Amino acid sequence: MKPLTQATRARFILLCERSRDQPLPSSETAELNSLLKDHPELVKTMAESLLIDAELRRDPRLLQEMKTTPQEARGPRNIIPIFALGAAACLFLGLLVFQTLRQAETDKSSPGVAILSKSTNCRWASSTIPTAEGSHVPAGKLELVEGLATIVFDSGAEISLEAPATLEIIDKMNARLISGTLVADVPPTAIGFTIDTKDATITDLGTRFGLSTDEQGKYLVQVIEGLVEVDHKGENNIRQVTEGKSLDRGLLEKKKNPGPSVSEPTRWQPDPAFAQADGWKNVPTSFGKGRDTYVTSDPNQLGKGDEPFFRVKQTTIQPNLVRVGFLAFDISGTDSAGVSEAELILNIEPSDLGFASLVPDSEFTVYGLTDEAADNWSEKDLKWENAPALDPTMVNLKTPEPGKAVPLGKFLVPRGVQRGTRSISGSALADFIRSDTNGTATLIIFRDSDETAKAGLVQAFSSKENAVNPPPILRMKTD
Amino acid sequence: MEENEKSESDQSTEFLQLLASHDRALSLYVYGLVPHQADADDILQQTKMVMWRAFSQFELGTNFIAWARRIAFHQILSYRRKRKRDHLPLSDEMLDQVGEQIAEITDQEYQRKQALQSCLNHLKADHRKMMLMRYEDEMEVDEIARKIHTTPGAVYRALSRLRLSLLDCIRNRLKSETSLP
């Protein structure tokens, strides 16, 4: 083996450098290959050289940092793995950078740091910065009352903000979630992106994660992909949350168990089975033997008939979290055989459970229970195994059992919408009411749309226990 | 966000998790062997699609990144044949050897990126300018030559000196790092 001289090495690097842009002449290709054959250590040199290239192309922050580092550096710097410093240090550095940026910004009349790239059904309140779609927004506060908004920071980090939420944009690498829910997508260019809540600092190490917080400081972090670091303020303990895992500091418990509705009803209460002059009659689930609840495909969960809403969800990602709504209307006082038209009205409620960004526009199907013997289900002990028309073996989680229920209609809830009413009507519903013989009509509500990742939104509709919004109402017209 | 962490992860979650945790290593491998950026991105994309289609054959618990790199390597080879373009002037066999080296370095030297950063930060002003023109502004060597009033040959020489000094600097940094108690 020939010894490798510095000159040969330099020649080899020069050939490598030239070959990057355009094909080498065949004589030089031969030269390069014979150098590699004669000096096997050049294979490693070539790999190292190519890796420098690859790193620089993959992560533009390397050059960014070079640009912002003053020259004439004092002696060799310590090689500290930047991210091993942890979130606290990141925050500290972040603050320094932030201060510097702020300084610079005052001279440039607050330039934009993020683009409000997409808003779906959005309504904004008291925001200090522009909220038009496509705006390049400077640092400031955004308050989203309704809908779903996507904010792309100049660092590449992307946030889907889910109403109701208040977010403060600090700079292209930092934001503060004052309350509400967001899903953050952080590409490699924005590793180190930080979101502050009242009680914690969440530093993203290249990932997709969801975060919910309230003004009291409770929060929940759910990592969908990758890794985040959570620094709970005042605790000297930075926690890493890995893919598929979540860290709950008091929030989930509150959301999952809102408890029975206790406040005094403040809404207009529909008169029980109120008959209008034009031949229409409204029957809410709160009338007579009416009931409304939901079941979960988790064998350990009982019915939740006393909650102010019922939840509906479809998921193939976590098959134990499918939820199906059950409504029973007392139509014993109605001449059901004479019904010519019928309509079901539901009120959408913000369910606060799951991330709206992970669920596309959702389609729901309402089924009517034809197996009348099963009409007398009870809110208190309804669960998946004993629920009418469901497959007790839980193999089929998407539709009722064939022959026990019929589809009556579909409705759509667009992505991000958490308010409003939905209704179905049509001959299938009217036919179903007419065929009733026992004075009870049971309707079953399935979501047909799946979620795109774990922890997608669970939709909810107000129930008869809701203090603010009306319960499900069945309207029927008799001739 | 959901209450149950029973982790009924199906195949796609499993795949995405593995892919996410090896994304850096896989892209460094492809970017390293394919200097042309647009081609590298195409190949990376294609590789991930093939991996997903073949994922049922992947045996969980075995070396995911090694499997991913094998698929990527074959994508690079088929790209070379289809487009009749050699990204690096190497035989298939030599390209494989260089790829093996890239893999070994990426898997063993975690500090390499920090070392590169430190070395970049110590570059002199004219070298910094050269790096920025080449990598940030993505200028061709001819353009750089025109801009700094010199010949393309001189730019290549300057770039290779710069490359050598970075290589040596990184080696020194890594050596002093490992020699610490």
Side-chain angles (χ1 to χ4, degrees), chain B residues 127-171:
Chain B
H127 276 168
R128 282 190 182 197
K129 214 165 117 193
M130 190 73 90
M131 286 305 281
L132 292 172
M133 285 190 285
R134 186 77 163 147
Y135 288 98
E136 195 175 62
D137 306 333
E138 292 172 12
M139 286 167 74
E140 301 269 329
V141 165
D142 292 1
E143 287 177 81
I144 299 178
R146 271 197 301 280
K147 190 163 180 185
I148 59 173
H149 308 291
T150 181
T151 63
V155 173
Y156 276 125
R157 280 193 295 279
L159 279 171
S160 48
R161 274 197 302 276
L162 172 52
R163 176 86 53 182
L164 271 175
S165 71
L166 280 176
L167 285 173
D168 292 340
C169 173
I170 292 172
R171 279 192 183 174

Side-chain angles (χ1 to χ4, degrees), chain A residues 53 57 59 220 222 243, chain B residues 1 3 17 37 113 135:
Chain A
D53 243 31
R57 280 151 58 209
D59 191 353
L220 172 80
Q222 163 85 42
E243 206 151 290
Chain B
M1 179 85 133
E3 50 267 55
Q17 285 179 357
Q37 187 60 42
K113 188 174 176 189
Y135 288 98

Side-chain angles (χ1 to χ4, degrees), chain A residues 397-451:
Chain A
L397 298 172
K398 291 181 174 172
T399 55
E401 291 280 90
K404 294 188 172 171
V406 288
L408 303 178
K410 288 178 183 292
F411 62 90
L412 189 79
V413 178
R415 186 168 182 248
V417 168
Q418 297 206 55
R419 289 276 177 210
T421 60
R422 288 294 177 273
S423 67
I424 64 154
S425 54
S427 56
L429 180 61
D431 289 348
F432 173 71
I433 304 291
R434 271 197 302 274
S435 67
D436 176 74
T437 61
N438 67 355
T440 300
T442 296
L443 302 182
I444 305 170
I445 302 168
F446 274 87
R447 190 172 91 192
D448 304 326
S449 315
D450 200 351
E451 57 191 349

Side-chain angles (χ1 to χ4, degrees), chain A residues 9 17 21 33 48 53 55 57-59 62 66-67 69 220 222 243-244 256 298 313 323, chain B residues 1-5 17 24 27 31 34 37 89 113 117 128 135-136 156 163 168 171:
Chain A
R9 190 162 168 256
E17 204 65 49
D21 287 343
N33 280 283
E48 286 174 341
D53 243 31
E55 294 276 19
R57 280 151 58 209
R58 190 174 179 275
D59 191 353
L62 286 161
M66 178 189 83
K67 277 202 284 191
T69 308
L220 172 80
Q222 163 85 42
E243 206 151 290
K256 266 169 58 190
D298 179 341
K313 174 173 178 161
R323 294 181 175 85
Chain B
M1 179 85 133
E2 283 298 4
E3 50 267 55
N4 275 307
E5 284 295 341
Q17 285 179 357
R24 174 183 148 81
S27 31
Y31 281 18
V34 184
Q37 187 60 42
K113 188 174 176 189
Q117 180 73 74
R128 282 190 182 197
Y135 288 98
E136 195 175 62
Y156 276 125
R163 176 86 53 182
D168 292 340
R171 279 192 183 174

Side-chain angles (χ1 to χ4, degrees), chain A residues 82-116:
Chain A
I82 296 170
F83 302 120
L85 283 174
C90 282
L91 174 65
F92 177 62
L93 288 173
L95 281 174
L96 284 180
V97 173
F98 168 51
Q99 299 263 340
T100 326
L101 282 178
R102 269 288 157 89
Q103 202 69 46
E105 276 168 14
T106 46
D107 304 334
K108 287 194 271 171
S109 68
S110 35
V113 295
I115 288 179
L116 193 57

Side-chain angles (χ1 to χ4, degrees), chain A residues 281 283 287-289 329-336 436 438-441:
Chain A
K281 183 174 180 180
V283 178
F287 173 70
K289 293 179 188 163
F329 294 94
D330 184 344
I331 54 171
S332 55
T334 309
D335 167 23
S336 54
D436 176 74
N438 67 355
T440 300

